[in-house]
């Protein structure tokens, strides 16, 4: 088969990828091999190429990156009765989460490192980690869902306990998870507000269900946000840095902030009284469990939701696709068309 293989980790990042021939995987007991039609990029994939992700070390190479994928079952291993060969599926990349929905277990890991991932024509996964593809979605749309939509669903529903009528803030609209946060929160009846450095992205967020947004490049944006939203029930943050302090300021007493990233780095001046005097809950989250993955797919199917696609590339253009992600251009998920 053809695959994109990471051979070097370091300053070159995506330059360490090679499009080449690789052995087609064979399913073991309890496993299936999926013939992939599409894969999707995540920030995790880029971080892996730079060695900026746990386990991304030279001794882990070579490895095929990629967590997200959709296709059809090509072969099944011993003991697998479902799904059958030919069934269209989407992959849950959260391997061995464990039995406790609150936290991942000691064997938890994400497809694409250490196991070979979805930047390939075929991928091998446990049979219980493939789910029927939502019928209304193309393979490209289905491939966009797994990692990002699962992260968003858990952050909002399980950790954030969002309810209809509540006010939700999503800073940094544009990336995959943020677009899913807007879609899911608005679908569940929340009032959603966003921030972005692009007025165009704010307008796109409104098309997804956001009520409004502010440009964080404008002077006094924090005050403008506070005026627009009123007291905020829930913020879901992947930015960190100074943005986190702004979210503390707009939070209502007893409000919640769910965090799953810190692309802007550490919070420079964390004002602790904003947390304890307002009785705030600050909650961490990452990825999600199998039941949450199934519930996320059900939500997208029942409400006929479609993910936002930013740009499409061919499989052999994976390095170019990663550079596009690094530039932060466009909005939504970046897709690799495989077959």
């Amino acid at each position: 088969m053809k695959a994109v293989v990471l051979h070097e980790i370091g300053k070159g990042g995506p330059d360490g990828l090679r499009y080449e021939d690789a052995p087609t995987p064979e399913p073991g007991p309890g496993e299936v091999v999926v013939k992939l039609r599409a894969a999707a990029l995540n920030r995790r994939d880029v971080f892996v190429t730079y060695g900026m992700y746990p386990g991304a070390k030279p001794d882990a190479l070579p490895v095929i990156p990629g967590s997200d994928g959709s296709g059809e079952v090509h072969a099944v291993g011993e003991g697998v009765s479902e799904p059958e060969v030919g069934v269209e599926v989407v992959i849950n990349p959260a391997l061995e989460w464990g039995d406790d929905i609150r936290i991942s277990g000691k064997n938890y890991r994400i497809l694409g490192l250490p196991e070979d991932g979805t930047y390939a024509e075929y991928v091998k996964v446990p049979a219980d980690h493939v789910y029927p593809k939502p019928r209304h979605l193309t393979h490209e749309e289905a491939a966009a869902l797994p990692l990002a939509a699962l992260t968003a669903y858990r952050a909002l529903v399980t950790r954030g306990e969002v309810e209809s009528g509540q006010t939700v803030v999503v800073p940094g609209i544009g990336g995959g998870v943020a677009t899913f946060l807007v879609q899911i929160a608005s679908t569940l009846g929340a009032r959603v507000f966003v921030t972005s450095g692009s007025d165009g992205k704010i307008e796109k967020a409104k098309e997804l269900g956001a009520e409004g947004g502010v440009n964080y490049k404008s002077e006094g944006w924090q005050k403008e946000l506070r005026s627009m939203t009123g007291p905020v029930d829930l913020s879901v943050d992947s930015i960190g840095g100074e943005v986190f302090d702004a979210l503390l300021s707009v939070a209502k007493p007893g409000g919640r902030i769910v965090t799953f990233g810190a692309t802007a780095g550490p919070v420079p001046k964390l004002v602790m009284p904003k947390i304890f005097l307002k009785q705030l809950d600050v909650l961490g989250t990452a990825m999600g469990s199998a039941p949450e993955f199934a519930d996320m797919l059900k939500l997208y199917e029942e409400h006929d939701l479609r993910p936002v696609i930013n740009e499409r590339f061919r499989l052999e253009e994976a390095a170019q696709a990663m550079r596009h992600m690094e530039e932060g251009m466009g909005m939504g998920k970046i897709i690799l068309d495989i077959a």
Side-chain angles (χ1 to χ4, degrees), residues 122-141:
Y122 298 88
V123 66
K124 179 175 67 174
V125 293
D128 60 359
H129 278 63
V130 295
Y131 293 71
K133 179 181 72 67
R135 290 177 297 234
H136 71 294
L137 298 181
T138 66
H139 281 297
E140 290 80 10
E141 291 169 330

Side-chain angles (χ1 to χ4, degrees), residues 104-168:
S104 54
K106 64 179 181 179
N107 295 323
Y108 167 72
R109 58 207 185 277
I110 300 174
L111 186 67
L113 181 82
E115 282 93 345
D116 285 335
T118 57
Y119 289 12
E121 293 181 315
Y122 298 88
V123 66
K124 179 175 67 174
V125 293
D128 60 359
H129 278 63
V130 295
Y131 293 71
K133 179 181 72 67
R135 290 177 297 234
H136 71 294
L137 298 181
T138 66
H139 281 297
E140 290 80 10
E141 291 169 330
L145 291 176
L147 189 151
L150 174 59
T151 298
Y153 184 90
R154 177 177 172 85
L156 282 168
V157 178
T158 306
R159 301 293 280 158
E161 298 181 339
V162 67
E163 296 180 6
S164 179
Q166 292 186 334
T167 300
V168 174

Side-chain angles (χ1 to χ4, degrees), residues 21-190:
D21 292 317
T24 301
E26 297 287 339
E31 297 177 330
V32 299
V33 169
V34 177
K35 178 176 176 57
L36 290 159
R37 298 299 182 182
L41 272 67
N42 292 286
R43 288 283 177 186
R44 176 185 190 268
D45 306 334
V46 178
F47 291 157
V48 165
T49 68
Y50 285 103
M52 297 170 59
Y53 196 87
K57 300 177 181 179
D59 60 5
L61 304 181
V63 68
I64 300 172
S67 303
D68 296 344
S70 179
E72 62 261 1
V73 176
H74 173 74
V76 302
E78 181 182 350
V80 176
S81 57
E82 292 184 352
E84 297 179 348
V85 171
V87 172
E88 294 185 319
V89 295
V90 59
I91 297 168
N92 174 11
L95 305 179
E96 295 193 58
W97 176 274
D99 297 328
D100 190 344
I101 198 171
R102 299 174 305 159
I103 56 172
S104 54
K106 64 179 181 179
N107 295 323
Y108 167 72
R109 58 207 185 277
I110 300 174
L111 186 67
L113 181 82
E115 282 93 345
D116 285 335
T118 57
Y119 289 12
E121 293 181 315
Y122 298 88
V123 66
K124 179 175 67 174
V125 293
D128 60 359
H129 278 63
V130 295
Y131 293 71
K133 179 181 72 67
R135 290 177 297 234
H136 71 294
L137 298 181
T138 66
H139 281 297
E140 290 80 10
E141 291 169 330
L145 291 176
L147 189 151
L150 174 59
T151 298
Y153 184 90
R154 177 177 172 85
L156 282 168
V157 178
T158 306
R159 301 293 280 158
E161 298 181 339
V162 67
E163 296 180 6
S164 179
Q166 292 186 334
T167 300
V168 174
V169 168
V170 179
I173 187 66
V177 178
T179 58
F180 288 124
L181 288 168
V182 173
Q183 277 191 321
I184 294 172
S186 61
T187 297
L188 295 176

Side-chain angles (χ1 to χ4, degrees), residues 187-250:
T187 297
L188 295 176
R191 300 176 62 229
V192 185
F193 298 86
V194 302
T195 73
S196 175
S198 163
D199 292 338
K201 290 182 179 180
I202 293 173
E203 291 304 312
K204 183 66 176 179
K206 292 179 181 179
E207 296 176 13
L208 295 174
E211 188 171 319
V214 300
N215 191 319
Y216 59 70
K217 293 181 180 178
S218 63
E219 186 176 352
W221 71 269
Q222 297 185 22
K223 184 177 180 180
E224 182 184 357
L225 178 65
R226 195 178 303 117
S227 175
M228 179 181 294
T229 63
V232 174
D233 297 282
L234 171 65
S235 294
V236 183
D237 180 41
S238 64
I239 310 299
E242 294 180 353
V243 171
F244 190 83
D245 185 64
L247 299 178
L248 294 177
S249 297
V250 300

